[in-house]
Amino acid sequence: MPRYKLTLEYDGGPFVGWQRQDNGLSVQGALEQAALRYTGETVTAHAAGRTDAGVHAYGQVAHIDLRRADPARKVREALNAHLRPHPVAVVEAEEVDDTFHARFSAVERSYVYRILNRRAPAVLEAGKVWWVPQPLDADAMHAAGQELVGQHDFTSFRAAECQANSPVKSIDELVVSRQGEHVEMFVRARSFLHHQVRNIIGTLSLVGLGRWSRDDVRRALEARNRAKAGPTAPPTGLYFRAVRYEDAATLTTPPAAESAP
Amino acid sequence: MPRYKLTLEYDGGPFVGWQRQDNGLSVQGALEQAALRYTGETVTAHAAGRTDAGVHAYGQVAHIDLRRADPARKVREALNAHLRPHPVAVVEAEEVDDTFHARFSAVERSYVYRILNRRAPAVLEAGKVWWVPQPLDADAMHAAGQELVGQHDFTSFRAAECQANSPVKSIDELVVSRQGEHVEMFVRARSFLHHQVRNIIGTLSLVGLGRWSRDDVRRALEARNRAKAGPTAPPTGLYFRAVRYEDAATLTTPPAAESAP
């Protein structure tokens, strides 16, 4: 039974999040429904990261098993046809070995958080950024963010409902930079705690506004107390960017030659 | 009576276009309504370019006259507060001499047209691009586009309902380039005919798909017959980018010092 690795882009706005829930449409549900319409099979989709309601993705990775053995290219086209009108698309599909697991084979995940930092509210990017009208010092945010790089107990940056066994995580890279009216944070780690990225950017925004120092961020981390760190930033600015897998696990067959870009 | 030059960003999606109409909400109407709520004055807003339904802007310029003489910064903030929830915002406001006219003082306008060129449909950019799933040769589009640079009779690229006195226009620059999955066209001219940009990109897309040659574009131009050029591209990919004014006309007072970015 062929396994397909699917790279997904979605607008998190109308979804209750990745995970199937009773209270609304999930990305997982939309994908599984598209697979059902396409093949008549009831499948379970597994994702690298279970994004929250409102969180976007341009490089989420999921896998599904299909009894019907179609070329990966056809799977991508058919799923995209059946995913409409939901704002989720299969950007890439490839057939992988059944030892590949979108979640458990992942060795690194990365997120981008986008802030629109100007007086005028978001218009063309409404729902796709966090609008912060007060000026932010991106360099100060970057410097303070370096306190969080490395292995730490991230209890102060963890949602109460987080289900991870341990609050200890290792952030491999965290970069905050300004691009014109935008302040962007890029962050990568093997894995993240629930709300970790949004709590980090919410805390660093206090630094950007000049209310907190780099030392305040270090003290918040050391406190191991969620109440000591900054607010949870809104989901609208958060993008699941990419997943890295051990090369051996991802590919059993070379990607099909394609005429399309 | 102070005159204010307003730089506007808007998502054209929900609007019937710039111009006030009976059949729905226009950008002009939204702006005039916001001014009325703010000052109690009935004003007329004049824009550099009357964009069609669905066409976006990040640098449209309009002007309004207000009896109430508030600092430009306050005018911007108040209009933005009253423009909600419509997807239009005043990005910049400045007080200008009453010889300034957003439309008649403009000496150059520029547009950007964005194509998403990949197999998967637009998701995060839905309604903000033209999705072309077949591969486009951006270099060939750029080369063919050079046939249109300079002064020409653009009858072949003009909408039937165009109200301009003459079909002769002068395109000063036209650049088509690929940025990853996107193909973008930048074009600037003193002024444009109705649908001219969308008819140009629709025609160049035939070149990008390999169906037309550069010579075909030249022949379409020379035919002076709308039926001889390519299709009108959808409004979703079109952005009114910027307007240039003679320096003397724009500023009577230096821009106010601002702490915001």
Side-chain angles (χ1 to χ4, degrees):
Chain A
M1 191 143 109
R3 178 161 292 183
Y4 297 93
K5 176 191 174 194
L6 309 173
T7 304
L8 303 175
E9 178 178 314
Y10 50 85
D11 174 350
F15 294 109
V16 295
W18 164 261
Q19 203 156 17
R20 224 186 298 112
Q21 287 174 46
D22 292 335
N23 63 338
L25 187 71
S26 63
V27 182
Q28 183 186 25
L31 183 61
E32 291 172 350
Q33 203 171 47
L36 176 66
R37 285 194 202 137
Y38 159 37
T39 63
E41 302 172 41
T42 301
V43 305
T44 299
H46 300 269
R50 285 170 291 180
T51 51
D52 278 328
V55 174
H56 314 294
Y58 44 91
Q60 170 75 284
V61 175
H63 79 260
I64 56 171
D65 295 333
L66 296 178
R67 276 193 294 278
R68 175 163 160 176
D70 279 334
R73 183 196 170 127
K74 189 176 172 192
V75 171
R76 181 192 65 195
E77 300 285 307
L79 288 174
N80 282 336
H82 289 285
L83 278 165
R84 288 184 211 176
H86 305 306
V88 48
V90 179
V91 177
E92 280 177 47
E94 57 182 292
E95 205 177 325
V96 288
D97 193 275
D98 65 4
T99 59
F100 173 86
H101 192 289
R103 183 172 173 203
F104 299 119
S105 305
V107 295
E108 188 180 274
R109 291 156 175 90
S110 55
Y111 283 89
V112 167
Y113 197 97
R114 304 192 78 210
I115 295 171
L116 180 65
N117 189 217
R118 66 173 190 190
R119 292 300 307 171
V123 167
L124 282 165
E125 300 177 298
K128 304 291 197 307
V129 291
W130 178 24
W131 175 47
V132 176
Q134 301 83 9
L136 292 170
D137 181 340
D139 292 338
M141 292 170 71
H142 177 76
Q146 303 318 301
E147 295 289 343
L148 306 175
V149 174
Q151 184 176 293
H152 301 285
D153 180 327
F154 280 97
T155 297
S156 300
F157 296 88
R158 177 188 196 178
E161 60 271 32
C162 180
Q163 291 169 19
N165 293 324
S166 163
V168 176
K169 292 286 172 188
S170 194
I171 291 184
D172 298 314
E173 189 179 2
L174 190 158
V175 177
V176 181
S177 60
R178 175 175 287 279
Q179 276 109 45
E181 293 179 331
H182 295 90
V183 173
E184 282 195 12
M185 179 174 73
F186 166 80
V187 58
R188 65 180 175 87
R190 183 175 186 93
S191 61
F192 291 90
L193 299 166
H194 195 196
H195 283 183
Q196 189 180 359
V197 179
R198 288 163 60 188
N199 290 339
I200 287 174
I201 192 75
T203 302
L204 294 182
S205 73
L206 298 176
V207 177
L209 294 168
R211 292 188 214 152
W212 275 36
S213 68
R214 176 172 179 163
D215 284 348
D216 292 330
V217 173
R218 187 174 36 74
R219 279 191 285 268
L221 177 67
E222 289 168 353
R224 299 181 192 184
N225 177 350
R226 177 69 194 95
K228 298 294 185 189
T232 305
T236 49
L238 187 57
Y239 294 78
F240 193 111
R241 179 183 172 276
V243 193
R244 195 163 63 81
Y245 293 96
E246 289 300 353
D247 283 352
T250 47
L251 281 175
T252 52
T253 50
E258 300 224 3
S259 59
Chain B
M1 190 144 109
R3 176 161 294 185
Y4 297 92
K5 175 191 174 194
L6 309 173
T7 304
L8 304 175
E9 179 179 311
Y10 49 86
D11 175 351
F15 293 110
V16 296
W18 164 264
Q19 204 157 15
R20 224 186 301 110
Q21 287 172 47
D22 293 334
N23 62 338
L25 186 71
S26 63
V27 181
Q28 182 185 26
L31 183 62
E32 290 172 353
Q33 203 170 48
L36 177 66
R37 286 194 200 134
Y38 159 38
T39 63
E41 302 173 41
T42 300
V43 305
T44 299
H46 299 269
R50 286 170 290 181
T51 52
D52 277 328
V55 174
H56 314 296
Y58 46 89
Q60 171 74 284
V61 175
H63 79 260
I64 56 172
D65 294 334
L66 296 178
R67 275 191 295 276
R68 176 164 160 176
D70 279 334
R73 183 196 171 126
K74 189 175 172 193
V75 171
R76 181 192 62 195
E77 301 284 307
L79 288 175
N80 283 336
H82 289 286
L83 277 164
R84 287 183 212 176
H86 305 305
V88 48
V90 178
V91 177
E92 281 177 46
E94 59 182 291
E95 205 176 324
V96 289
D97 194 275
D98 65 4
T99 59
F100 173 85
H101 192 289
R103 183 172 173 203
F104 300 119
S105 306
V107 295
E108 187 180 275
R109 292 153 174 93
S110 55
Y111 283 89
V112 167
Y113 197 98
R114 303 192 78 212
I115 295 172
L116 179 64
N117 189 217
R118 66 174 189 189
R119 291 300 308 171
V123 166
L124 283 165
E125 299 177 298
K128 303 292 197 305
V129 291
W130 178 24
W131 175 47
V132 177
Q134 300 85 7
L136 291 170
D137 180 341
D139 293 338
M141 292 169 70
H142 176 76
Q146 303 319 302
E147 295 289 344
L148 307 175
V149 174
Q151 183 176 294
H152 302 284
D153 179 328
F154 280 97
T155 297
S156 301
F157 297 88
R158 177 187 196 180
E161 60 271 33
C162 180
Q163 290 169 17
N165 292 325
S166 162
V168 176
K169 291 287 171 186
S170 194
I171 292 185
D172 297 316
E173 189 179 1
L174 189 158
V175 177
V176 181
S177 61
R178 174 174 289 280
Q179 276 110 44
E181 292 179 330
H182 295 90
V183 172
E184 283 195 12
M185 179 174 75
F186 165 80
V187 58
R188 65 181 174 86
R190 184 175 184 94
S191 61
F192 292 89
L193 299 167
H194 194 198
H195 284 183
Q196 188 180 1
V197 180
R198 289 163 61 189
N199 291 338
I200 288 174
I201 192 75
T203 302
L204 294 181
S205 73
L206 298 176
V207 177
L209 295 169
R211 291 188 215 153
W212 274 36
S213 68
R214 176 171 179 164
D215 283 348
D216 291 330
V217 173
R218 186 173 37 74
R219 278 191 286 267
L221 177 68
E222 290 169 352
R224 300 181 192 182
N225 177 350
R226 177 70 194 96
K228 298 295 184 187
T232 306
T236 50
L238 186 57
Y239 294 78
F240 193 112
R241 180 183 172 275
V243 192
R244 194 163 63 80
Y245 293 96
E246 289 299 352
D247 283 352
T250 48
L251 282 174
T252 51
T253 50
E258 299 223 2
S259 59

